[in-house]
Amino acid sequence: MMQIPQLMSEQYAIAKQIIESCDDIKVYSHIDCDGICSGAILSTILDRQDKEHEIEFVNLDVLDDIELDHELTIFSDLGSGQRIDTKAKKDQKIIILDHHPPLRDLDYKNNKEYDYLEINPIHHGIDGSYYVCGGGLCYFLAKEFGYDDLSWIGLLSAIGDMQNTKSGHFEGLNEIIQQDAIDGGYLEVFKNDLNIYGRNTRPLFIALSYFNDVKLPITNNTAETMAILEELGIDEKNNRKTLNELTMEEKGKLYQRLSSMIAQVVPGNYVKYIPQLIIGDSYTFLKEDETSFLRDASEFSTAMNACGRNHEEKIAMEVLKGDRYVSLDELEAVSRDHRRNLAQAIEKVADNEHSNIIELENLQYFDGTGIKPEIVGTITGMILGYCNWKKPVIGFTQTDDNGLKISLRCSRLLSYDGIHFGNIIREISAKVGGSGGGHSMACGAYIPIDKKLEFLERFNNELEGKLTN
């Protein structure tokens, strides 16, 4: 199992000392599941240390040249890629806990009039896409204080950040967090389970219809999923099951059928990746009620993201910090509204009779004008099931009079193939006067509205010869 590098351990000891020495503290964190988990862990540390603090969840585009008005400002799951210290004053203190590509190197802290501490795995040769995320970095700070009981939140952040999508299980520093959560009695891991979302709460025939890494006969087709499950003898008309209710033998039958369906529609060079599309570890939070959607880590992470997309991060944070009464009811209401908004937006973009998806040689895109910037990424991911999985899909929506939010999603098969769309979108958006980045299969950018066509053209050209399918 990977260990925390010595220099990183020393950084955590310094971070603890800085926090203990400060009383005027502000935390900025990102608005997705990872950012909300990061914020909840930091807020819990500060509560337990009796430190008054403010916490604000923000989009990346508000961070460049930010005003720093506090003795200590902590940035979690963001900050490494933004110019957050240009207005730092003498004797102020800054801590960054981020796993995204850093603008500044380890020596940047030297000869500053303010204290600057950046803990980023990339500085230590550790991949921030798969080995640890923002919430994980915050958990290791909690562990420095002796708060190992927050390990499950660190693991939840890694689920939300899709850190396990490459291999189907956690690697690197995430393994330490997972083991701490298991040892603390918070987590049960089922190795090599069927990797289908909604194992607790969705009837299997509905869960299967959302399969969209590759377009299959079952994608967006519940009649087909019902027919296949009945034919396999693992579901009945009058007794619909969830994935959790299947026996190992039934899961085996379903795995074989899904494998053969995918093998029929993917080029030969992708066949070796089929098991990774279907199989992966599943994660159960043992302290949550057995019937709750919070028991399954994937569903819990979706609820966190729903709050982030609807400016209700504080509700999500209160649930993470232990409120299972008022805030949990509010969380369920936000999740319901979120699902309704998504359904309406999907209908607008992917109505089968009038699809608004435009296909270029190497990518496809849709104009999501009117869709909230906060949910355009989720919509783009869901649109995959309606279009050509062999190309990435890009969604645009306006943020203001002269800005565009861009989100890109692709089939996991393309990321297994070695294309890192997060790196590409960062380069292309910078060339048109914007900023962006993210993961290999889920990323985004902000660009000037009049650069849309140039962005598309550059992106399309950049992918020439890179797609092997």
Side-chain angles (χ1 to χ4, degrees), residues 293-294 302-312 315-316 319 325-342 372:
F293 65 98
L294 302 183
T302 299
M304 298 295 96
N305 276 321
C307 287
R309 303 295 176 241
N310 292 280
H311 305 294
E312 297 286 6
I315 292 174
V319 169
Y325 297 100
V326 176
S327 292
L328 184 55
D329 288 343
E330 292 173 337
L331 179 66
E332 289 183 324
V334 171
S335 296
R336 266 196 310 276
D337 289 347
H338 184 61
R339 284 194 296 270
R340 190 172 60 247
N341 291 339
L342 294 179
K372 289 197 305 181

Side-chain angles (χ1 to χ4, degrees), residues 18 25 63 79 142 222 240 244 260 290 309 337 379 456:
I18 291 173
I25 301 173
L63 282 184
T222 50
R240 294 294 175 198
N244 263 357
S260 64
E290 284 201 20
R309 303 295 176 241
D337 289 347
I379 297 299
L456 285 168

Side-chain angles (χ1 to χ4, degrees), residues 402-420:
N402 49 23
L404 278 183
K405 165 81 189 288
I406 298 171
S407 286
L408 178 148
R409 298 292 184 271
C410 73
S411 167
R412 278 178 289 172
L413 289 174
L414 299 190
S415 64
Y416 295 154
D417 220 16
I419 304 174
H420 197 295

Side-chain angles (χ1 to χ4, degrees), residues 21 86 148 153 308 336 338 353 360-361 390 397 402 434 437 463:
S21 71
T86 55
D148 298 37
I153 308 180
R336 266 196 310 276
H338 184 61
E353 286 180 41
L360 304 178
E361 289 134 70
K390 296 179 181 179
T397 194
N402 49 23
L463 294 181

Side-chain angles (χ1 to χ4, degrees), residues 67-125:
E67 295 290 344
L68 300 178
D69 301 318
H70 300 264
E71 181 187 3
L72 167 62
T73 308
I74 307 176
F75 296 90
S76 57
D77 193 34
L78 38 70
S80 283
Q82 291 76 41
R83 300 192 307 259
I84 47 81
D85 66 327
T86 55
K87 297 189 177 175
K89 304 172 195 74
K90 192 178 179 190
D91 298 331
Q92 283 187 325
K93 297 172 174 63
I94 293 170
I95 297 174
I96 299 174
L97 297 148
D98 193 8
H99 63 124
H100 297 101
L103 294 174
R104 300 163 289 269
D105 62 23
L106 265 175
D107 296 332
Y108 186 78
K109 66 183 184 305
N110 300 347
N111 308 316
K112 295 282 183 288
E113 287 194 316
Y114 51 90
D115 288 346
Y116 178 90
L117 175 63
E118 180 171 2
I119 304 180
N120 189 308
I122 298 169
H123 284 150
H124 306 276

Side-chain angles (χ1 to χ4, degrees), residues 19 22-27 42-55 70-72 74 321:
I19 287 169
C22 292
D23 292 308
D24 174 28
I25 301 173
K26 173 75 181 263
V27 176
L42 292 175
S43 185
T44 303
I45 293 171
L46 296 171
D47 284 350
R48 292 178 182 179
Q49 291 291 307
D50 291 322
K51 300 287 184 185
E52 286 282 324
H53 61 281
E54 286 177 43
I55 184 158
H70 300 264
E71 181 187 3
L72 167 62
I74 307 176
K321 288 174 74 174

